[in-house]
Amino acid sequence: MNWSQASMTWKKRLRLNWKGGMSLVLATSFALLTACGTQAPAESSTTAAASGTEAQAKDPVEIEFWYGLGGNLGDNMKKTIDAFNASQNEVVVKGIVQADYTETEQKLQAAIASKKVPAAVLSSNIDWARKGYYAPMDEMIAADPNFKKDDFIQTFLNQGQVDGKQYFLPMYGTTQIMYYRMDTFKENGIDPATLTTWENLAEAAAKISKQENGKTTFYGWEPMWGRDNMIDAVLGKGGQILSDDGKTVMIDSRNGSRHGTCSVNGLTKTRLWAFIMEVRAGSTGTKRLMM
């Protein structure tokens, strides 16, 4: 059985039965690759006669699934793969683990260049979908009578659409949360119900923060690493990153915002807040505020 035949077989049999198992980790995405590796050499007539069509049909199709997850997410992914493999005998999913998302993309880029790619990968690269590196999943979805879009969080599902086609299915979602130390709040006379604006949050963080010999020893605010939190601060002040026509950079503008407020206000606030907050990354980066 060559790869082209195998590909059609596992796509037909696997369909989208993963979704039930993925409910435990609901948004980086699951993508099928357009190029499914190099085609295996054609079988000789003698080999084909010996193996037979029936014997081929009984052999499980093995596919590789690449993902860059560790910790609990990695453990849950392995359990999901094992559970799926144990649930049937037609498709064997071989999980190939990378250190993180970046390594997955690097290895995938090399694999695409060499035309030896995995069948599936944990990814959310929309640009690659537009370039044709990934295959749309609409035909598989339409062919699976058990697929129900309502099984997914619609926001995550919609994020997997590119130019009207479903290239990704949600695997898990990241939701930032805020938590705080009650004893610290009590000690500083802060009512958590008052933290309804960026300004109130900054004031509370400044009150909680502690410095010794010019060095911050206790940060009042520990947001998650990434540009999104900084963008939130700007947009929260009515600012814009780009003008409505997309031609003018507005992030440092003191006027011209469609809301009549200053983009630079949010940016300036963020710079000032740098002295009372510590940015966290990775697994420690859940939005830890008021620690």
Side-chain angles (χ1 to χ4, degrees), residues 40-222:
E43 294 178 283
S44 66
S45 57
T46 303
T47 302
S51 60
T53 304
E54 183 177 351
Q56 287 185 17
K58 291 181 179 179
D59 291 337
V61 176
E62 183 174 297
I63 66 171
E64 286 189 1
F65 171 39
W66 291 9
Y67 60 94
L69 296 175
N72 290 334
L73 284 175
D75 293 341
N76 285 333
M77 182 63 75
K78 185 179 185 306
K79 290 177 183 178
T80 300
I81 293 173
D82 291 344
F84 174 79
N85 288 339
S87 71
Q88 43 75 56
N89 57 11
E90 296 176 315
V91 180
V92 176
V93 177
K94 183 179 179 182
I96 306 297
V97 184
Q98 290 83 44
D100 50 34
Y101 304 144
T102 301
E103 184 181 340
T104 299
E105 284 212 343
Q106 290 172 345
K107 288 184 176 296
L108 185 58
Q109 203 162 16
I112 292 172
S114 66
K115 297 183 179 180
K116 295 181 180 179
V117 299
V121 63
L122 186 69
S123 172
S124 58
N125 195 321
I126 292 177
D127 289 337
W128 284 16
R130 287 201 171 101
K131 290 178 180 178
Y133 296 168
Y134 299 150
M137 305 181 72
D138 302 87
E139 289 186 11
M140 292 181 67
I141 291 173
D144 186 353
N146 295 318
F147 183 89
K148 296 181 178 60
K149 289 188 177 181
D150 291 342
D151 288 345
F152 300 95
I153 295 177
Q154 294 306 298
T155 300
F156 293 162
L157 187 64
N158 294 339
Q159 288 175 349
Q161 295 180 4
V162 181
D163 299 332
K165 296 182 179 180
Q166 193 77 46
Y167 281 88
F168 307 93
L169 288 180
M171 186 154 299
Y172 63 88
T174 300
T175 302
Q176 294 193 23
I177 62 173
M178 184 178 80
Y179 64 93
Y180 57 90
R181 281 179 49 171
M182 296 177 65
D183 60 338
T184 302
F185 270 36
K186 185 176 180 180
E187 178 183 339
N188 290 275
I190 297 172
D191 180 359
T194 64
L195 304 182
T196 57
T197 66
W198 287 109
E199 288 78 10
N200 290 346
L201 180 60
E203 290 174 5
K207 192 173 183 179
I208 291 172
S209 297
K210 297 179 181 179
Q211 292 189 347
E212 294 180 8
N213 299 322
K215 182 179 179 180
T216 302
T217 58
F218 191 95
Y219 287 92
W221 184 7
E222 296 184 8

Side-chain angles (χ1 to χ4, degrees), residues 264-275:
V264 75
N265 280 352
L267 201 59
T268 302
K269 290 285 187 183
T270 300
R271 289 170 181 156
L272 293 174
W273 294 345
F275 295 100

